[in-house]
Amino acid sequence: MSPDCPRAEWVRKGQAAHAAGLSFEDFDAWSAGGKTYDARAARDTWRSFRADGGIGPGTLFYMAKAEGWRPDPNAPRPPPPTAAELAKRAAAAEAERKRKSAIPADPDYQPAAIWARGMPAVGHSYVVANNGRPDGLRVVPDGDCLRQLGESLVGWLMVPVWLDGTLITIQFIAPTDVAARLKAAGKPSKLNLYRHPVEGCFIVGKCPPGGVAYIVEGIGAGWAAHQATGHAAIVAFGWGNVRREAQAQRERDPAARLVLVPDVGKESEARSIAGELGAMVAALPDGWPKNSDIADYAQREGVDALRALLTAAADPTAPADPAAAAPAATAPATEGPRIDAPDGDEDASETPQGGRRSSLDVVLALTADLELFHDTAGTGHFAAEYDGRREVWAIQSRAGADLVQRRYLAATGRGLPAQPLRDVLATLDARARFEGRQRDVFLRVARFPDRVLIDLADDRWRVLEITGAGWRVLDRSPVPFVRRAGMAPLPEPQRGGSVAELRGFVNVADAEFRLVVAWLLGALGGRGPFPVLVLQAEQGAGKSTAARVLRALVDPADVPLKAPPRTADDWVIAAAVSYVLAMDNLSGLTNDQSDILCRLLTGAGWSRRKLYSDLDEVSINLCRPVLLNGIDAIATRPDLADRALVITLPTIPAARRRQEAVFWDAFEAVRPRLLGALLDAVAGALRC
């Protein structure tokens, strides 16, 4: 048999040889006669073979006969083994079994133990660089002794490989800077756990019964497929495992629509596998370099182009159709396909088959790409892609209604009536709460053990990432941040500034300036309990101006200072829609208000009945930085006074006063540098 054959066939020949009892040396010597021989690939492939792989020794003779081999009827048959030879073979097998069982299990290379030591993968450079999702992934923590091929794996991304709910092995992916160094040295930047061959998969998204599942080689391609389509992507960890994982998914769900997504150079093998399993194939266009994948395609051509490529997956058993091969002109995928609604009927539209369907069906089809999930309070959210940015909004909000209306208008040319709109939002919300997964949703600041993420709240949905190594701006947030009405953007920070520049904009004494900076760093650090900063003074001391300045450096808002809420529910609502609570011109606090503030500063839970007619409760946990100003003494109760940084501002002499427009122009000029200096300080605190 010739080794010059498609890789899938070469693997099957190797599996048959393994089942027939041939050695690796036999397989390697035969493979070396091929034009594309790769010693490492031959060794890794041989190691992946299992005795129960589904291919027996008879396959070897069947494939040999298919290539023209015929047994020689006159060839002498080998004599049967003698009793001594059989005893020798049995003794050798027993000795090998004992040798392997005597090897102690190395705890450093046990998948479960390594996985248990991992840290959350939020903000990992590989995830960020590939517009990925950290869900279900971890990172090898600082100080871990794990090493492979002479490399410390500290900071490497861990991708688990699951088989029927069991962790089989782990793939390690180097951070981007380490990967560049390894590539320059000719070393791999992805490693599978030593002594644990890959058998299983990692799934990006969910695989509902009868749904679409894209079978890809690597995690980057899996992220790209899920981001573009919203459907599940099954990561097989190498083309040699694609057939097995596709077969396993077909057995789990015979009705699933499987789409194989090969890297460039493996299209013919993909069509062969797809033909066997009743799957589809989505291949990159001609002209792409060998081994390119859909992650490369998405980075160069964009998410919309990738979505069109994947949704146009071809059936390899169907006859070629030149007309179908030409891509049709469509509207941007975020706006959905154009559907002409018949005149006189606001709640129905024509289907491509000439039938009619309700506006609910139309809009649900137009929103099929949304990622639906719920937060810890049970509130439904959606994540949507717009021009390369990822927005997150509550479904039952003005933004949710606007998204539905915008897509329906683009598809039909008219707006959606009120009742169908409510039906659509209710359906999406139900799917998010009962079918979507639970995720932590953050407002302005997200704190993790080794990093802080801050939402810039700009129109590009960028975030700041702060670690012990410094800070940077990420074009895509690794965690969902939600926006509330009235939030204003932070400026893009600049390096080289000094916190001392803030002295010219807050009227406090030198000794108390440190307390102001401490409050700012605590608020930016995102970890409570927080102190309450109380600015009190007579009229003309600039206390309201100072409060506006400080809030503008942490959580800017269209209305930065507000009057204090009246009821406990109003306080909770204010804290739910703003990260910083900034109250202006207080004349003292009631006992109830002091108690509420203490709970907000320390992170207490809040519960209230949904309706007076039922017994259900809504619960929420809130912990917020608080900023108060007023003329009278504010923090008078002992429990609040213990949590307060009270600063008395001196009156500003007339000679030192500035015109308001001049003051704010000067502040806006230095605000990016001030924010950068504060971020430097937070990074320093994370190093401690």
Side-chain angles (χ1 to χ4, degrees), residues 479-495:
V479 300
F481 278 100
V482 70
R483 300 281 175 86
R484 304 295 190 197
M487 289 180 65
L490 281 164
E492 183 169 345
Q494 297 177 359
R495 304 183 190 277

Side-chain angles (χ1 to χ4, degrees), residues 130-195:
N130 289 273
N131 291 328
R133 300 168 51 175
D135 308 321
L137 309 180
R138 296 185 182 179
V139 175
V140 179
D142 291 342
D144 200 288
C145 61
L146 189 63
R147 301 180 66 87
Q148 283 194 200
L149 298 182
E151 285 286 333
S152 169
L153 300 189
V154 168
W156 286 48
L157 186 67
M158 295 195 289
V159 185
V161 183
W162 301 96
L163 180 63
D164 297 329
T166 301
L167 180 63
I168 299 298
T169 186
I170 299 172
Q171 184 182 69
F172 300 96
I173 303 178
T176 52
D177 56 339
V178 176
R181 173 176 60 80
L182 293 174
K183 181 178 180 181
K187 296 182 179 180
S189 59
K190 295 182 180 179
L191 299 173
N192 296 327
L193 183 61
Y194 178 61
R195 291 183 179 173

Side-chain angles (χ1 to χ4, degrees), residues 248 285 310 422 426 492 507 581 677:
L310 293 176
R422 286 193 290 269
E492 183 169 345
N507 177 37
L581 288 181

Side-chain angles (χ1 to χ4, degrees), residues 443 565-578 581 583 596 599-600 604-608 618-622 624:
L443 179 69
R566 294 183 178 181
T567 67
D569 287 349
D570 292 338
W571 279 97
V572 173
I573 293 172
V577 300
S578 296
L581 288 181
M583 304 301 167
I596 292 169
R599 297 178 65 192
L600 286 172
W606 302 78
S607 298
R608 66 181 298 271
V618 177
S619 298
I620 186 172
N621 288 300
L622 295 169
R624 296 287 187 256

Side-chain angles (χ1 to χ4, degrees), residues 350-584:
E350 294 290 337
T351 67
Q353 291 75 25
R356 299 172 74 79
R357 55 179 176 173
S358 70
S359 54
L360 175 61
D361 294 331
V362 172
V363 179
L364 291 179
L366 295 173
T367 56
D369 64 306
L370 300 180
E371 180 191 355
L372 303 177
F373 58 94
H374 60 274
D375 61 19
T376 53
T379 303
H381 291 78
F382 69 82
E385 298 289 337
Y386 293 104
D387 299 328
R389 68 184 186 275
R390 184 178 178 82
E391 297 187 5
V392 177
W393 298 97
I395 295 173
Q396 296 286 6
S397 67
R398 176 64 181 271
D402 286 349
L403 174 131
V404 171
Q405 288 283 21
R406 182 168 60 247
R407 293 195 175 187
Y408 191 79
L409 177 66
T412 67
R414 62 182 65 192
L416 188 63
Q419 186 57 49
L421 175 62
R422 286 193 290 269
D423 293 342
V424 170
L425 294 177
T427 302
L428 294 176
D429 190 54
R431 288 182 176 178
R433 291 188 291 117
F434 302 120
E435 298 177 359
R437 59 195 176 114
Q438 179 174 301
R439 301 189 67 182
D440 290 328
V441 176
F442 301 94
L443 179 69
R444 185 66 80 173
V445 178
R447 176 63 186 260
F448 299 94
D450 61 340
R451 68 196 63 223
V452 179
L453 298 172
I454 300 176
D455 184 10
L456 282 176
D458 61 1
D459 55 4
R460 294 162 59 185
W461 286 72
R462 297 179 300 166
V463 298
L464 296 168
E465 181 192 46
I466 315 170
T467 67
W471 56 267
R472 60 176 177 165
V473 178
L474 302 180
D475 290 331
R476 188 181 183 88
S477 175
V479 300
F481 278 100
V482 70
R483 300 281 175 86
R484 304 295 190 197
M487 289 180 65
L490 281 164
E492 183 169 345
Q494 297 177 359
R495 304 183 190 277
S498 170
V499 176
E501 292 182 273
L502 182 61
R503 286 293 290 113
F505 300 96
V506 290
N507 177 37
V508 298
D510 291 340
E512 295 176 322
F513 179 71
R514 297 185 181 90
L515 298 179
V516 171
V517 174
W519 182 86
L520 286 170
L521 296 180
L524 289 170
R527 174 175 291 172
F530 298 103
V532 54
L533 183 63
V534 179
L535 305 177
Q536 56 189 37
E538 297 295 331
Q539 182 178 359
K543 52 188 180 296
S544 295
T545 299
R548 289 190 179 94
V549 165
L550 298 180
R551 179 160 191 184
L553 293 170
V554 178
D555 183 34
D558 294 339
V559 182
L561 304 179
K562 298 181 180 180
R566 294 183 178 181
T567 67
D569 287 349
D570 292 338
W571 279 97
V572 173
I573 293 172
V577 300
S578 296
Y579 176 65
V580 171
L581 288 181
M583 304 301 167
D584 188 36

Side-chain angles (χ1 to χ4, degrees), residues 233-256:
I234 299 176
V235 181
F237 299 97
W239 189 251
N241 302 320
V242 165
R243 179 192 297 273
R244 181 175 61 206
E245 294 309 317
Q247 178 66 45
Q249 180 63 16
R250 174 62 73 213
E251 293 172 356
R252 287 191 292 265
D253 184 4

